[in-house]
Amino acid sequence: MRRSLASAVAAAILAATAPLAGAAEAAPPGLFRVGDTGVRCLKQPCPWRGVVPVEDESVAAGTVPPAYAGDAPPVIAARAELLDQLRREIWRAWAAGGCLLVHGRFDRRGAAAVPVLSVDRIIGPCSR
């Protein structure tokens, strides 16, 4: 009886605090440059393609370090009806060395810290 009461109390506490913990971990929405970071290097590895958080579109390329850099974009997430289109546009810009300004959230999820870019919308090409 004592063990089941303790288990019930522990379960109730976890259930009550889980939504708060999830809310605290959620990445805030913002603007991101996706693709060409503006960084140029003489030595490898070089983060010349990545995801860069910016306050606004006027932030000069190469002045803010990338939150993610790699040969391929991070995992792209979006509403189901937009997902394929957004992935195509981002991959096209990434492969061509271009840059897109997007509104969304960038987060690293799970034990493997998989980088995920959740895109609300693509604003357009980055200004230089």
Side-chain angles (χ1 to χ4, degrees):
M1 174 89 166
R2 215 181 247 178
R3 198 176 281 164
S4 63
L5 180 58
S7 297
V9 170
I13 290 170
L14 286 173
T17 59
L20 299 176
E25 293 175 14
L31 293 176
F32 296 90
R33 290 178 192 258
V34 179
D36 184 3
T37 62
V39 174
R40 300 297 178 256
C41 308
L42 298 175
K43 261 177 99 170
Q44 295 296 330
C46 182
W48 71 277
R49 286 189 297 192
V51 175
V52 180
V54 294
E55 291 294 321
D56 61 56
E57 196 173 346
S58 67
V59 174
T63 59
V64 177
Y68 167 83
D71 292 331
V75 173
I76 305 296
R79 292 192 325 260
E81 66 271 13
L82 298 175
L83 186 58
D84 287 340
Q85 176 192 352
L86 293 174
R87 281 183 179 158
R88 271 194 306 275
E89 288 184 50
I90 289 169
W91 273 91
R92 187 177 303 126
W94 194 280
C99 178
L100 293 174
L101 187 66
V102 305
H103 185 268
R105 289 162 199 74
F106 181 76
D107 199 7
R108 293 186 181 270
R109 298 182 184 168
V114 175
V116 178
L117 179 63
S118 298
V119 179
D120 298 329
R121 71 182 186 281
I122 294 175
I123 296 170
C126 299
S127 60
R128 298 282 174 198

